[in-house]
Amino acid sequence: MHSSGISTGEAVLDAFNITKKFGELTALDGVTIRLKPGSIHALLGENGAGKSTLVKCIMGYYNPDEGQILVDGKEQSINQPKDAAALGIGMVYQHFTVINNMTVLENIVLARPALPSFIDWKKEAEVVSKKMQTMPFQFELDKQVSSLSAGEKQKLEIIKQLMLNIRVLILDEPTSVLTPNEADEILQEVKKLSQNNGLAVLIITHKFREVMGFADTVTVLRKGAFVGSQTVAETNPEILSEMMMGEGLDLPPLERDATQVNSNQAKLSLKNLSILDNDGLIAVDDLSLQIYPGEIVGIAGVSGNGQSELTAGLGGQRALKNGVIEVDGQTFSPVRRDLQKHRYFVLPEEPLKNACVGNMSVADNMALRNFDLAPNSWFNSFLNFSAIKRESKKLITAFNVKTPGPDEVISNLSGGNVQRAVLARELSQQVNVLVIANPCFGLDFKAVSDIRNLIMEARNEGAAVLLISEDLDEVLQLSDRFYVMSKGKVVLESKPNDVDLTEIGKAMAGHMEAAA
Amino acid sequence: MSETDIGVWGVLIAVLGGAIRVGTPFLFVSLGECLTEKSGRVNLGLEGNLVMGAMSAYAISYYTGSPWLGVLGAGCSGLILGLIHGLLCQNPKVNHIAVGIALMIFGTGLAFFLGKPFIQPTAPHLPAVSLGFWSDSPVLRAALEINALFFVGLALVPAIYFMLKNTKWGLMIRVVGESADAARALGYRIQLIRLLTTMAGGFLAAIGGAYLSLYYPGSWNEGLSSGQGLMAVALVIFARWNPIYCLYASLLFGAAAALGPALQAVGISWGYYLFNAAPYFLTLMIMIMTSSAKQNLAGMPGEFTR
């Protein structure tokens, strides 16, 4: 009777008028989507638009405050992920849920809702490999998952769900860690599956390219509200981006000063760097590059190819196994004295975790670089708290950090504002060298635009900037020239103007030997 | 045969027998800890379980006259301590290491308090199996006098290995220990699984304690445990979270501990205390050799690396 008045058509899943509140905040406000068998539906929106909340309501992680979920036109109460699985709804999460220390077979078997008490692995292997022959991706069953690439893990996540005979497949940002080629391959196969088997697919994404290339219909959310739903055939990226961002959002364009590299002296020079990962294996392999003043050098690549180890090594968070870092021709080691002397600044990825003390205030966090210098301290020994607070207030205004005040605990700030606060700290003085990793990951358009402008400003003022990013578009937008990193080596050097996307994709996937 | 020949053989056999005799409590505690850690939780309180188990077993054996009832009672005391640990750790932001240390102190303290009346009386011991009947050498016979609990422990090794690898429950425990995210996506009740493995681990550790008071050294007093419960935690790391390696590691620790008495038995008395420190030294060496500031240990449950 709740469903009276809703025409369900041939939809397999309807989420009707879903509202979800967290305290004061309305994360989702009367959103409706409808998934049909044999078609791919894209859910588009910025971070914080409510995409994940909606999906979590469907999967039973959250109980919506209002609205109904209908499967085959019948209202269902889904209270936990198990209930969703029982209804034939499967989801692939943004972060891998495959287990590295287990084999492919174990990972596939454990996804089953009802496991037998005793597991006969030989028999399971036969059953699984027989069924896998009908599927788009093939695996060696006894392979350890930790040895798979990111793309293979994503395929395994999908296979895991397909093995459960699902009718609805939800993919949450399925391509965020993949090369463009891998992403295309996987989405192509998903599309085929959907067309041939009548699978209903919901893809959460913020990439227009994927919406235009693979989806049949698209729903746009903004700030928790439903903006519109369209067939992809009658829309285009301009319409979608307007729907996503709303009107009146006027972002300043990036202003890149004319190239001014006129120095023969590299500002930052990495010579034969090798760095080990947590398992003691080579993560950065004999890497050398130079960055000149007033230049942004990008490093693109799929995550897990040594980028985080490189950032940690350059930021002093991980020991170098081999090699030398030079700043202005002098040997540099990332200790406090050298960092201050060379005005060398680092913005690591996930700054709340890697560059902040979460329980300390915004003011204290902003002073981490210079609390022992005047005016923040007397005689470089005794902290001057009023000065620290005063300085931080200046930075909060200058960098537009949204915080209740300098005394607020920094972990209470939103991701974009933590990023702004850390950038404020790193860019508050004259910058000589700047190393940044994934600066815009998970931020909204406004924050992304602000942060990219700040980085560009540092470059325009003559700093050498190393930008390590998994977002290829970001690298192409910001860099003066860039490298592709694969398996710990830089394998391709290119400039954003003359990029060849196929070449880059090949290099990212590791199908290219080190450039001579 | 010359004098020295007997001496060398004697030491070897005594060390082998000692490995089993001294290693048995290590085996139970490490199997228990291995099970708990496989689910992604560390119980440092097993030393408390061990001492509490030793006291309970001795007291129950004394009152009922049945050492096996004592073992069961010890196990139950371990279940309760494990239950407390598991329940406390279910609260958000409670640190399992801190809870473990608190329970270690609580368990030993409670055992000393309740165990005062049992220091004097003698309780019936657990039976042993004589595997040395074929020999007429008293050294050999003494060394091959093996307690029934060791065989129980020996049987538990493949049983736990099989359980972890080939049963639904084992797979669930491993998933919870490797990735809480994955477990949540599969709808497993993470806290419940960890509670149960902590209780089972506590049960086994307390049986290790029962062995101490009811067989070797075979009495109840406050100096009964020499830190076996804590060393077993290090031993699990050494054993790479594998029950079969737990057996080997326990025997190695037992052998190290038996070295001093064995040498003394053949008349080498110098360095007695030095040799007695061998297991502690071994623990330290193992921790130094297996630790690294730079990399994760192979086999470590994924939940410990985040």
Side-chain angles (χ1 to χ4, degrees), chain A residues 386-428:
Chain A
S386 56
I388 288 179
K389 211 180 216 177
R390 202 170 52 238
E391 292 298 308
S392 75
K393 274 185 187 156
K394 281 189 217 159
L395 291 177
I396 288 171
T397 331
F399 286 81
N400 206 2
V401 183
K402 284 201 196 83
T403 164
D407 294 326
E408 185 69 19
V409 169
I410 197 160
S411 56
N412 291 347
L413 269 54
S414 74
N417 284 309
V418 171
Q419 202 90 355
R420 283 195 189 97
V422 176
L423 259 184
R425 176 179 84 204
E426 303 295 308
L427 299 181
S428 55

Side-chain angles (χ1 to χ4, degrees), chain B residues 3-260:
Chain B
E3 276 297 303
T4 50
D5 268 354
I6 296 166
V8 170
W9 277 108
V11 170
L12 275 180
I13 287 165
V15 166
L16 182 74
I20 293 172
R21 197 181 316 116
V22 183
T24 303
F26 282 121
L27 177 60
F28 277 95
V29 184
S30 63
L31 284 178
E33 182 68 13
C34 180
L35 199 57
T36 307
E37 289 195 12
K38 271 283 181 191
S39 75
R41 182 168 283 161
V42 176
N43 183 359
L44 274 189
L46 290 190
E47 176 73 15
N49 290 41
L50 183 91
V51 178
M52 192 64 199
M55 193 283 295
S56 320
Y58 201 77
I60 292 171
S61 173
Y62 172 69
Y63 280 128
T64 64
S66 160
W68 290 107
L69 272 182
V71 170
L72 196 66
C76 292
S77 77
L79 275 183
I80 294 168
L81 284 176
L83 178 73
I84 298 174
H85 186 281
L87 287 179
L88 287 176
C89 289
Q90 288 192 357
N91 299 309
K93 300 209 172 179
V94 168
N95 182 307
H96 54 178
I97 304 292
V99 171
I101 293 173
L103 279 178
M104 173 168 72
I105 296 166
F106 174 73
T108 41
L110 189 67
F112 292 170
F113 174 71
L114 296 175
K116 284 275 187 268
F118 305 105
I119 293 177
Q120 279 302 325
T122 317
H125 277 192
L126 284 165
V129 182
S130 303
L131 289 185
F133 57 86
W134 46 271
S135 163
D136 44 28
S137 151
V139 180
L140 211 58
R141 290 185 136 195
L144 293 179
E145 191 86 351
I146 291 168
N147 187 269
L149 265 188
F150 175 72
F151 296 105
V152 175
L154 203 59
L156 277 174
V157 171
I160 291 178
Y161 182 83
F162 177 83
M163 190 276 289
L164 286 172
K165 189 168 190 299
N166 282 58
T167 70
K168 169 172 134 183
W169 305 285
L171 204 56
M172 285 164 85
I173 291 170
R174 279 156 63 206
V175 171
V176 169
E178 291 293 343
S179 163
D181 278 345
R184 229 168 273 129
L186 291 167
Y188 292 169
R189 296 167 69 185
I190 300 173
Q191 299 296 355
L192 180 69
I193 291 172
R194 288 185 176 160
L195 178 70
L196 292 177
T197 61
T198 313
M199 287 173 70
F203 184 88
L204 291 177
I207 288 180
Y211 178 93
L212 287 179
S213 64
L214 293 181
Y215 185 69
Y216 183 84
S219 65
W220 160 249
N221 61 67
E222 294 181 358
L224 184 64
S225 159
S226 40
Q228 283 97 328
L230 270 178
M231 279 178 350
V233 177
L235 202 144
V236 173
I237 300 172
F238 179 49
R240 294 277 187 265
W241 293 270
N242 179 335
I244 293 174
Y245 294 162
C246 279
L247 172 66
Y248 301 150
S250 302
L251 291 178
L252 181 68
F253 271 63
L259 195 59

Side-chain angles (χ1 to χ4, degrees), chain A residues 255 257 260 267 293-295 343 427-432 453-465:
Chain A
E255 283 179 31
D257 289 359
Q260 41 175 329
K267 223 174 215 341
E295 182 180 49
R343 287 175 284 117
L427 299 181
S428 55
Q429 306 159 54
Q430 178 70 38
V431 178
N432 201 19
N453 270 304
L454 287 170
I455 295 167
M456 189 55 80
E457 236 169 75
R459 168 218 179 256
N460 290 345
E461 280 164 23
V465 181

